[in-house]
Amino acid sequence: MWNVVEKKITPDLMVDRISHISPELLTKWKLKGVILDVDNTLLSKKANVPDDDIFDWVESIRPMMNIVLLSNNIPSRIHRASMPLDLPYIGWTMKPFPWYFKKALRFLNLCPDEVGMIGDQLFTDILGAKWSGVGKTIYVRPMDLRYESCWTKCMRKLEKKVMLQWTTKSSL
Ligand SMILES: [Mg+2]
């Protein structure tokens, strides 16, 4: 059973920061669209404007990809965060459940395997994307662990355990 879950939370790539993802890789993977998480992926939970490198990264992929923001946070927060980047968004999405991933895919007007998901949580962003058939998943290390909800803090502990297991396995 755990093997099945583990498969669903194992991303194709792990990076320290979203701006470290090369646009060339996304094209090599033949992606035509990306679904981006917001909090702790694009900007920290208390920020409204992304850092310059992240702004530049979005600009570098914008000509090649359809982009939509997908967040469990309330729509007013996501609206504020989406404004400087001028990106469409779907808020209050109940990730990891697949309903809003499906909505995002319909919005992008792409097949699941043409789309990538980028986010900072294994049990919401990565699990939900894989559950919805999204083609590629990229885990980004969270930007700022302060201000997270009690629930997220618990899930982080579980994530930490899983990642420690991965490190141990890979060093064997
Ligand atoms: Mg997040």
Side-chain angles (χ1 to χ4, degrees):
M1 176 64 186
W2 173 246
N3 286 353
V4 179
V5 179
E6 195 179 15
K7 236 182 172 174
K8 294 272 184 213
I9 57 165
T10 306
D12 295 288
L13 179 71
M14 295 176 94
V15 293
D16 284 335
R17 205 165 158 83
I18 196 168
S19 54
H20 294 178
I21 302 167
S22 82
E24 291 75 26
L25 177 71
L26 302 181
T27 33
K28 192 177 144 202
W29 280 350
K30 298 188 170 54
L31 299 182
K32 294 180 182 160
V34 280
I35 302 171
L36 303 180
D37 172 56
V38 177
D39 290 317
N40 270 335
T41 297
L42 285 176
L43 68 181
S44 76
K45 221 166 171 181
K46 293 283 173 190
N48 286 322
V49 180
D51 295 337
D52 286 349
D53 64 316
I54 290 174
F55 193 87
D56 292 347
W57 181 83
V58 170
E59 289 312 308
S60 72
I61 66 157
R62 195 193 296 271
M64 322 180 309
M65 307 268 150
N66 292 342
I67 310 171
V68 64
L69 307 179
L70 194 71
S71 173
N72 281 357
N73 210 331
I74 53 172
S76 58
R77 152 72 181 154
I78 303 310
H79 175 68
R80 258 197 322 276
S82 73
M83 291 223 316
L85 293 164
D86 190 23
L87 289 173
Y89 66 90
I90 307 171
W92 234 337
T93 59
M94 291 185 276
K95 289 180 283 184
F97 294 105
W99 312 305
Y100 287 89
F101 282 94
K102 299 260 159 90
K103 188 173 175 181
L105 292 169
R106 280 198 302 276
F107 177 84
L108 294 171
N109 199 22
L110 292 168
C111 298
D113 59 356
E114 296 174 314
V115 175
M117 170 76 208
I118 305 173
D120 73 302
Q121 287 196 61
L122 296 183
F123 290 94
T124 55
D125 303 314
I126 307 303
L127 175 63
K130 292 205 167 202
W131 193 350
S132 316
V134 166
K136 293 284 183 188
T137 52
I138 302 177
Y139 170 87
V140 179
R141 235 167 268 291
M143 299 175 88
D144 185 350
L145 293 173
R146 292 172 298 170
Y147 321 118
E148 290 197 311
S149 67
C150 292
W151 173 253
T152 308
K153 281 190 168 83
C154 283
M155 296 316 285
R156 292 281 182 217
K157 282 187 186 159
L158 198 56
E159 274 184 357
K160 219 174 161 181
K161 264 190 166 173
V162 172
M163 286 187 205
L164 197 67
Q165 237 184 31
W166 290 345
T167 324
T168 320
K169 261 191 213 167
S170 66
S171 64
L172 285 177

